[in-house]
Amino acid sequence: PSSRRWPGADVGAPHVALVRAPIDVAALLARVADHATGATTLFLGTVREVNDGRAVTGIEYSAYDAMATREMAAILAEAAERWSGTRLALEHRLGTLGLGEASVAIAVAHPRRAPALDAQRYVIEELKRRVPI
C-alpha cells in the first residue's frame, strides 16, 4: 500500500489545537487522510439546547491553554500507542458558542474501522475526564 498523503495533509505527529474560530472540519480530516487508511471517523461535539434539564442558549468555553494542550497531546499519544497506525487530530473551540456550533472535533484514521472507532471513543472520553475546558 502507498503511504502517499492526501493533498493538504500535515504529515507527522497527531494534531492538537485550541481554536477561537469555528472548527474547519475539512482541514481536520485532511490532517488524518492517508492512502493507507481504510476508515476515517469524525466526531463533532455540539452545543445543545438542554443540559441537565436546563435550557441553554449558548456556552462559554475557557481553558488554561498550555495545560489543556499538553493534556490533549498526551491523550492522543496514548491513543496512537494503543492503536498503532492510527492518525489523529483533535481541536477544541474556546470562547462563546451558540446552539448547534461545534465545540470539539476529533478525526481518526486507521487501516481498519474498529481501531478507528475505538481510538475515537477513547479520545473523547479521556478529554471529558481529564481536560478542564
Side-chain angles (χ1 to χ4, degrees), residues 4-25:
R4 199 174 100 219
R5 309 286 183 231
W6 291 100
D10 183 22
V11 178
H15 168 75
V16 170
L18 294 171
V19 298
R20 286 164 176 80
I23 295 169
D24 184 341
V25 172

Side-chain angles (χ1 to χ4, degrees), residues 16-21 60-74 90 92-95 127 130-133:
V16 170
L18 294 171
V19 298
R20 286 164 176 80
E60 174 80 25
Y61 287 101
S62 63
Y64 174 51
D65 290 22
M67 190 280 291
T69 301
R70 185 173 51 250
E71 194 63 24
M72 289 163 61
L90 165 60
H92 202 297
R93 188 153 169 214
L94 300 178
L127 175 73
R130 294 165 40 184
V131 183
I133 296 178

